[in-house]
Amino acid sequence: MPSAMDPVMAPLAATPGQPMPPVMGNRGFNIGHQKVGFDVDFANKRLKGWTEITINPTDSTLRQIRLNARQCDVTRCTVNGKIASQIKYDNPYSKFKIHDSATVHQHHMLRKKLDGVLHDPPEFELVITLPPKVKIEPADPFSIAAQHALTTRNYGSGRGTPDAPDASGTKTPALLTARPENMYTPFIPLLLRIEYLLENLRDGFKFVGCEPGDMRYPHAYTTNSPLPGAACCLFPTLDGIHERWTWEIEVTVPRTIGDIDKATVVRKENGASMTNGNATNGTRTEPDEDTTIDEDRDLDMVVVCSGDLVDEEFPPTEPSKKVVKFMQAQAVAPQHISIAIGPFEEVNLSEFRDQENEDTLAAMAVDVMGYCLPGRDVDLRNTCMFMPKAIDYIVKEFGQYVYTNFKLCFVNDLATDTIEAASLVLCSNSLLFPEVIVDPLWDVTKKLTYSLTAQWAGVQVVPKDWSDIWVIIGMAYWMTGCFMKTLMGNNEYRFRLKKDAERITELDTGRPSLYAQGFQVPIEPSSLDFIKLKAPVVLTILEKRLWKLSSSMVLHRVVRKTFLSAVAGELKNGLMSTAHFIRLCEKNSHTKLEPFFQQWVYGAGYPQFEVSQRFNKKRMIVEMGIRQVQATHASVRKVTPDDFLKDALDRERHVVVGPTQPVFTGPMTIRIHEADGTPYEHVVDLKEGYTKLDIPYNTKYKRLKRSRRQKERAAAGAGVDISIDAQQNDDVLLYCLGDVLQGEEEVDDWQLVDWSKEDEERMAQESFEWIRMDADFEWICTLNINQPDYMFLSQLQQDRDVIAQYDSIRHFATARESALISSILVRTLMDRRYYYGIRVEAAMALSRCATVELDWVGQFHLRKAFQEFFCYPGSQIPRSNDFTDLTAYYVQNAIPRAMSRIRNISGVCPGHVQKWMLDVLRYNDNSNNSYDDCYYVANLMRSLANTLSPQSRIANEFGFDLMDEDYDEDDEYNEKKLHEMALAEIERYQRMDQWQPTYRNVVSEAALDIQKDLMLRGIKEVDYKLFMAYTREGTLNSLRVKAFDCLVDLNALRNRALAPYICYVIGNDPSPFVRRRVQKAFGRGLGMIAVGDQKPRDTPNGAAFGEMIIEDAGADNSGARKDELAKETIAGALAALKKELSEDAVLKDALWKATISPDIGLIELRFLLDICALLYYAKTSLIITMKRPKHLSCRYMGKGVLYFSWGYGKPKRPPAPPVPPPAVHRTPTSLPLQPPRSMPIKLITNPRGKVNGINKKSKDSRPSVRRTPSISHTMSSPSVSSPIPSTHPPTQSSPPPHAPRKIILKIGKHNLQNNLQQNGTSG
């Protein structure tokens, strides 16, 4: 199934204003079995393939077989051993070209060619006409062929699914290509064999480490995805996740790494090159010692493939190769066939299985194998040791694993974190981490567990329509959450679930519904991430509600039955639709669930509750009012740089976002903790926008006073038993969390404050401890309840639910700061019994209590807590790191982060906080720690950098400094010197990481982030060279991506030198991981320009801290304000972006070069075309370039030398003959006329008697030699004294002075005849 960075192609589903596509008709055949073979050439990065397809005809008139095939060069095709009559192959990749004169304004012309390719089902590119001698013959029902057809019909390529009612209640018929269950194939199967070549691969397959100079181990793998057309990039087939049949796979590879070059030498010697004997660029004809180390050349090449290993052969004619064969007995889609080839080390992960589980599962135990590149086997064991436990849990809870084993293969340059295929998962090497690293533990475990659960929901069961993809992703992530709860604990699971729900409330504004996310073409990565976030949470609240309705695990039963139906064939081809899922849930819970799915799946948004409560003493009831305010408080989502590109594309595609739902309905659990400590639950059914409740009161005890509780804690601390006294006084004993630091000395030492007498009196009058809304987490919502602080404190200290504790901490984090709140938070931080996430949240909230009004009590409590936990007694110097206690490690990370948030009234971090942060980083000691501290050091570096502020010590015109009145130049730790020492310490760690790299260069990544932030805040000058050094090939990919992110954040897209470089990387970088991530950064950069997010964060209006800003009240800022408001909408932001970049010729050229690059795949091409469509208007044009004739020119070089040359110079047309000047009558005594000085004397010699094609004897002919060709002497009668114009037209024999002449030269005995086109000056 799709991954976070891999967009999913949705069908052309019916969206508003877009009709449904026509359903493909019956093609006349089905595929029963397919055999695929590859000969992998690492040296030339190409494949020679063949495939044999068993065709089961369903129509006796079948004469053509239509298949999907892309980027293949078909060389031979036979049907039953006979050459096909005709082969029509239309390779779509060859269409992705446009005329050379095209510019970025012709993007729509290229887009039309691309849109015809991305369909579901995809168009057929390969059409094979059956030979005349091949007939569709009926089969004997008792023959072997007929029996084979019968056994394979269940694996047919139909697209049908059980007819299930959709959201409107009507039945959805199966597609016409579906294969009915009772269909019998009465015809003899055909065997189709196709041989082909794959060169210049753009999609489907990736070679790594095969370039000269690349020191990585050479390996290759398939880049599968559920995209229509993704599988046919490797072999001709019927492409689509709905097509299923059995498989055989043969892969021919070099035996060892050293044989990669030997095979190339053999082919050159035998003339058997796959390109007709022509060597291609990059072919290594002899061993390259610079690429691989000598001892590595003997490493065996291993093939990892979907299915089971059958055989391994060594061809006698090619001793440097081997053939590895696999069989996939389970019918799977072509997209779920994956292959990886390389010098992998095999690790048997089943050795980590518990003996108890192995005995319980017995034959159902699944072998788990891991494959990694040499030297990473220890990291593989540490990263994947939980996988046997995970697969055992999934098998026991949700059903049988249909494949024989489960394999994980870790490779380089993978564009996404994981790629899921049948029984095989390709994983990125970046997921591996050693045992000394603890920070990636949760994230990596969750990602790998999802890749396992996707074998059930994603490979075995697939969405019927792309709008149903939320069901598949939701089930897989929900199953992942169930295992994570077992592995990590209930508190960890519920805390992160609450965090996810909060994140949904931040994002689910102005978005399409969960179901409508599949209408987009394609599903953008951000939309896919939103589905992964919301879908499992929706299923979780569904599980809670179904549990209350039936008191059983309904959702577990539904999911288990779904997979069982897929295995048994009841769920045809494993197609799951939303309507079918709803029907299963209703059938197992015996309840109508239409309102739930209409609100949370087909509808968008979330409810916002305002809760009011009061206790009625007369009636002894609690009066409550619950109001839904999402309709009246609906906030318009502003355009942000991260979401700009998605919002802009949604606008261009006319994606309609539904209105906010005014009312959400359903049950809500209200839990009232009364004075005796007993919780009383009340389930309320919310049906209207405002619900009024009267909840009865049950207990007879009064609420305990704080003084009584303090006595109990003090007595408990002194070891005194007061239970007898408590029984005599009829009091209730309550022991709770957060009851630390209660002694008088501790209270004085920690500067703690308790409740005032007025608060104690109010507490005594309360009849219950606290009220908990939505106690069972059945809603994705925001809740605002008006209960006082002491009730939230009781909830924090007495409620065992981590979500209740988190809600209390969030209340104190947003309440008005006070010393009492700081005391509550520090007691929470110091109590080790709390879940570590609650302690971290308390530490972060303490920074708000560090204010001048409170005498920096929050900062004091944070320093005191850090000193107590992590420093030597009575000293501020931290002890040597010890990360064996992970809860303490997370708290140790949180306190410096919280300290870095402290600000004074000027918005500047105080100097004593900066000095403390600097000392913690300086004195960090990890020499005695068994764990690596790279993440901790990176966190300290970020925290220290966050305390820095722009330095502006130039005296202002008023003669005083607003920042620090106590500034002293001679102080050893004055602000300026602290600033310099902090920068020096950060740069020191950055240099250390260059010489001794940390895990995945974590410290260097943090340093780049810090440098970028300092430049944005005006602390340092912008220096692009600092980041450019990290963008070069050969650097770790994640570090390269971080450098590009920093460049984009520093406004590199406005730089005329950097913007083309970024576009070049998008279009030509060899790493697909880098290309995808830089694309994402490019989209964010466009969003920054569109919304105007280019100003320094902490220096508004360009002023540094402490500088006075004088605004002119008379200035008219309405225009600028109007522009700023317009940029908050997507239309205004898009208009601002076009205005800014549409005329940038450099960006135009660079973006277009990246678009027409031959190295990018379809998804990357679509992204670039979307950018072009947003920035530039479409212009249909075609500039035709015609060949100009060559012209011979002559130049006189001097000394009788003539230089003749051919050229494309534009010849001058001979001007029209001018009107001859009038004849002038002169008296006999007049002086003779002189020729003009500017006119040359031209010699015309024509021995053939023609001048310019006119016979010399014609009547109008003139003398062939004229010394004054521009003047004609015409005599008239003596009586005419004035000039009279000549009425005779000029003849061709007397051309105008500047007309071309024909010269015939005789040189020696040889005649050289040249036709010279002269411009009047050549001679």
Side-chain angles (χ1 to χ4, degrees), residues 21 39 180 378 497 599 631 663 750 887 897 939 942 963 1150 1199 1290:
D39 188 349
V378 177
L497 192 65
Q599 294 170 15
V663 178
W750 286 78
T887 61
R897 281 204 313 272
N939 175 67
R942 289 191 174 96
M963 290 182 62
K1199 296 183 180 182

Side-chain angles (χ1 to χ4, degrees), residues 62 225 350 368 590 787 1031 1042:
L62 176 68
S225 73
S350 299
V368 183
H590 308 286
Q787 61 183 8
T1031 63
K1042 176 59 69 175

Side-chain angles (χ1 to χ4, degrees), residues 96-98 102 110 202 1151-1160 1165 1168:
F96 301 148
K97 297 179 182 179
I98 198 168
L110 191 59
R202 297 177 64 171
L1151 190 59
W1152 185 244
K1153 286 182 179 178
T1155 304
I1156 61 177
S1157 170
D1159 300 327
I1160 59 177
L1165 176 60
L1168 293 172

Side-chain angles (χ1 to χ4, degrees), residues 671 673 703 709 737 769-773 785 787 789-809 811-812 834:
R671 185 178 298 160
H673 293 257
R703 190 178 192 274
R709 191 170 300 162
L737 300 172
E769 292 283 327
W770 74 93
I771 297 178
R772 175 86 188 283
M773 305 295 297
I785 180 170
Q787 61 183 8
D789 291 347
Y790 48 77
M791 288 191 177
F792 280 105
L793 176 60
S794 298
Q795 177 175 316
L796 173 64
Q797 294 180 338
Q798 299 179 41
D799 201 320
R800 295 180 179 272
D801 187 4
V802 68
I803 295 180
Q805 298 168 4
Y806 176 76
D807 290 338
S808 299
I809 290 291
H811 168 77
F812 291 123
Y834 276 108

Side-chain angles (χ1 to χ4, degrees), residues 662-871:
V663 178
F664 284 77
T665 62
M668 176 178 286
T669 302
I670 302 174
R671 185 178 298 160
I672 300 180
H673 293 257
E674 298 188 1
D676 63 347
T678 305
Y680 293 89
E681 288 191 355
H682 307 272
V683 180
V684 180
D685 193 10
L686 302 181
K687 297 182 179 179
E688 299 178 354
Y690 180 76
T691 304
K692 186 175 181 181
L693 307 172
D694 292 335
I695 301 176
Y697 189 72
N698 299 283
T699 187
K700 64 177 181 178
Y701 297 105
K702 294 182 179 180
R703 190 178 192 274
L704 288 180
K705 295 182 179 181
R706 177 65 54 178
S707 59
R708 174 58 183 167
R709 191 170 300 162
Q710 288 178 348
K711 291 180 182 179
E712 295 167 2
R713 292 168 182 163
V720 179
D721 187 8
I722 61 170
S723 59
I724 300 176
D725 183 58
Q727 293 175 5
Q728 294 174 355
N729 295 331
D730 198 22
D731 287 335
V732 179
L733 294 178
L734 292 178
Y735 293 94
C736 53
L737 300 172
D739 55 355
V740 296
L741 305 179
Q742 297 293 333
E744 293 183 2
E745 293 183 0
E746 292 176 325
V747 170
D748 294 338
D749 188 27
W750 286 78
Q751 300 179 12
L752 302 178
V753 178
D754 214 327
W755 299 100
S756 63
K757 292 183 178 180
E758 292 79 4
D759 293 331
E760 291 282 357
E761 292 176 358
R762 283 197 300 267
M763 294 166 59
Q765 299 300 322
E766 295 291 347
S767 300
F768 52 86
E769 292 283 327
W770 74 93
I771 297 178
R772 175 86 188 283
M773 305 295 297
D774 189 24
D776 292 336
F777 195 74
E778 302 170 87
W779 294 78
I780 303 173
C781 63
T782 58
L783 274 165
N784 184 15
I785 180 170
N786 66 337
Q787 61 183 8
D789 291 347
Y790 48 77
M791 288 191 177
F792 280 105
L793 176 60
S794 298
Q795 177 175 316
L796 173 64
Q797 294 180 338
Q798 299 179 41
D799 201 320
R800 295 180 179 272
D801 187 4
V802 68
I803 295 180
Q805 298 168 4
Y806 176 76
D807 290 338
S808 299
I809 290 291
R810 296 307 302 162
H811 168 77
F812 291 123
T814 56
R816 184 178 179 180
E817 304 87 356
S818 66
L820 175 62
I821 290 181
S822 183
S823 301
I824 294 172
L825 294 175
V826 75
R827 282 191 170 112
T828 305
L829 174 62
M830 295 301 295
D831 194 343
R832 298 175 184 269
R833 295 172 295 175
Y834 276 108
Y835 167 67
Y836 78 89
I838 302 300
R839 299 173 65 194
V840 169
E841 293 293 330
M844 304 307 294
L846 270 172
S847 61
R848 296 185 68 253
C849 299
T851 61
V852 178
E853 293 80 2
L854 300 178
D855 196 21
W856 307 102
V857 64
Q859 181 256 344
F860 171 78
H861 284 158
L862 284 171
R863 291 183 62 175
K864 189 73 172 175
F866 191 87
Q867 179 184 5
E868 185 74 17
F869 284 139
F870 311 111
C871 295

